[in-house]
């Protein structure tokens, strides 16, 4: 629920998914995260106030029942890692392929990103078991991400040989970091169940994807195309940068904010 410019991050993620044609969204939340459900619920008092003051643009932003998507919620009872969180969606996905979007990453400003649609196309065309969005990061940043080991491949879309979760500098197989968007076949659930917890007691999704690779299943990585960017909210420096970039892109307040920034940064 951390805000970036006008909206909480989770809302950007939902808008991105909806604009990519996803209309059934399961939130895997946890204790103390009821604010997410509340945010996407109807707030009659707020709607009344915004209508009365004729704030149509703001009204549109909070009317989630007008969106084409259905929202579902489930809780991860213990903090047992990303793999375990995905397992919470098993009854939701059933036998269908599904998209995973991590809540600490925004793709594209103002829901312009078409990465998820591209991932689902690749998933179908290549009869894949898993398709992962990846982005190039500086080598000293690999320690923050899952990193893929590309097999010999064709440009921006290639088969993955192996994956390493948060490799130390010098141990990373590439600088291609998993960028928080995936498409999975439901096969992944059985593999997550077999993953042993790591030293922190977490079930890593990356380990389950690695088993897919070892079993010879098709795991494909797709590089973010030029012009597409992932905004990582998972650490303070990139959260600050993201906030500023989104605030600058605000159609109403952006120009004024730019003047302010230049002034405080000592340019004017
Ligand atoms: C998770 C994944 C990692 C991925 C990252 C993207 O890590 O385990 O493979 O690169 O998300 O944000 P986390 O950020 O939860 O530590």
């Amino acid at each position: 629920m951390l805000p970036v410019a006008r909206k909480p991050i989770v809302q950007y993620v939902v808008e991105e998914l909806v604009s990519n044609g996803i209309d059934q969204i399961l939130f895997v939340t946890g204790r103390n995260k009821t604010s997410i459900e509340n945010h996407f619920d109807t707030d009659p008092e707020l709607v009344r106030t915004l209508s009365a003051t004729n704030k149509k643009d703001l009204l549109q932003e909070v009317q989630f029942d007008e969106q084409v998507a259905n929202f579902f919620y489930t809780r991860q009872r213990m903090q047992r890692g990303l793999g375990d969180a995905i397992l919470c969606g098993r009854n939701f996905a059933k036998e269908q392929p599904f998209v995973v979007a991590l809540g600490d990453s925004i793709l594209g400003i103002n829901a312009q990103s078409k990465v998820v649609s591209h991932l689902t196309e690749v998933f179908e065309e290549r009869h894949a078991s898993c398709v992962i969005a990846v982005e190039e990061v500086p080598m000293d940043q690999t320690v923050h991400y899952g990193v893929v080991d590309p097999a010999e491949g064709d440009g921006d879309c290639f088969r993955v040989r192996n994956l390493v979760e948060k490799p130390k500098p010098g141990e990373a197989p590439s600088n291609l970091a998993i960028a928080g968007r995936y498409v999975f076949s439901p096969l992944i659930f059985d593999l997550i169940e077999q993953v042993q917890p790591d030293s922190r007691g977490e079930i890593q999704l990356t380990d389950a994807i690695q088993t897919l690779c070892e079993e010879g299943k098709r795991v494909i990585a797709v590089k973010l195309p030029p012009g597409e960017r992932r905004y990582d909210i998972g650490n303070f420096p990139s959260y600050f940068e993201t906030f500023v970039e989104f605030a600058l892109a605000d159609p109403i307040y952006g120009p004024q904010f730019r003047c302010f920034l230049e002034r405080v940064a000592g340019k004017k």
Side-chain angles (χ1 to χ4, degrees):
M1 290 297 290
L2 267 180
V4 161
R6 290 187 188 209
K7 295 182 257 186
I9 293 157
V10 67
Q11 190 173 336
Y12 289 99
V13 178
V14 164
E15 288 171 359
E16 173 207 330
L17 294 176
V18 169
S19 75
N20 279 274
I22 306 285
D23 57 8
Q24 309 291 316
I25 299 178
L26 174 72
F27 295 82
V28 180
T29 70
R31 226 171 298 123
N32 307 324
K33 290 200 181 158
T34 46
S35 55
I36 297 180
E37 280 179 61
N38 292 340
H39 180 72
F40 288 100
D41 202 351
T42 303
D43 183 341
E45 204 176 322
L46 181 62
V47 169
R48 257 199 315 277
T49 312
L50 293 176
S51 307
T53 49
N54 207 21
K55 294 193 167 147
K56 288 196 188 119
D57 51 337
L58 293 181
L59 190 59
Q60 211 178 357
E61 280 181 15
V62 297
Q63 285 195 305
F64 303 107
D65 44 354
E66 307 266 300
Q67 295 220 0
V68 283
N70 290 313
F71 301 136
F72 303 87
Y73 301 88
T74 191
R75 281 193 187 187
Q76 184 185 23
R77 295 203 171 140
M78 309 281 281
Q79 295 274 338
R80 295 184 66 223
L82 179 57
D84 181 67
I86 305 303
L87 213 45
C88 295
R90 186 171 204 160
N91 285 336
F92 177 76
K94 296 206 166 72
E95 299 303 316
Q96 298 289 320
F98 60 97
V99 168
V100 169
L102 304 189
D104 63 359
S105 304
I106 302 175
L107 261 63
I109 288 189
N110 298 326
Q112 297 296 309
S113 172
K114 287 290 161 235
V115 167
V116 165
S117 299
H118 186 42
L119 297 185
T120 56
E121 280 157 22
V122 170
F123 183 87
E124 279 168 19
E125 279 164 16
R126 307 269 296 250
H127 304 286
S129 296
C130 168
V131 181
I132 310 167
V134 295
E135 65 169 350
E136 291 187 43
V137 296
M139 264 322 212
D140 62 355
Q141 296 290 308
T142 57
V143 72
H144 301 299
Y145 303 108
V147 175
V148 302
D149 180 5
E152 291 309 305
D154 34 344
D156 291 343
C157 181
F158 47 84
R159 196 148 170 184
V160 174
R161 194 177 5 224
N162 194 11
L163 305 94
V164 188
E165 184 64 17
K166 308 202 169 75
K168 294 195 188 89
E171 290 175 11
S174 74
N175 67 338
L176 296 166
I178 299 175
R181 299 292 182 272
Y182 315 74
V183 184
F184 288 108
S185 131
L187 266 180
I188 196 72
F189 292 123
D190 282 345
L191 301 182
I192 295 172
E193 277 186 335
Q194 291 162 27
V195 170
Q196 293 303 311
D198 66 10
S199 56
R200 296 191 310 171
E202 297 201 346
I203 310 281
Q204 293 297 344
L205 177 61
T206 304
D207 291 349
I209 307 174
Q210 193 181 342
T211 314
L212 280 178
C213 296
E214 283 162 8
E215 291 185 352
K217 301 283 188 318
R218 216 167 268 147
V219 176
I220 313 274
V222 176
K223 265 202 227 172
L224 295 188
E228 284 271 13
R229 259 193 65 195
R230 174 171 90 113
Y231 297 88
D232 184 359
I233 327 292
N235 61 72
F236 281 119
S238 64
Y239 171 60
F240 293 165
E241 286 169 20
T242 303
F243 195 111
V244 168
E245 213 167 307
F246 276 60
L248 287 172
D250 189 287
I252 297 174
Y253 303 107
Q256 201 180 333
F257 181 57
R258 184 175 300 276
C259 294
F260 166 78
L261 264 190
E262 285 175 356
R263 199 170 65 240
V264 294
K267 280 199 186 162
K268 272 190 178 172

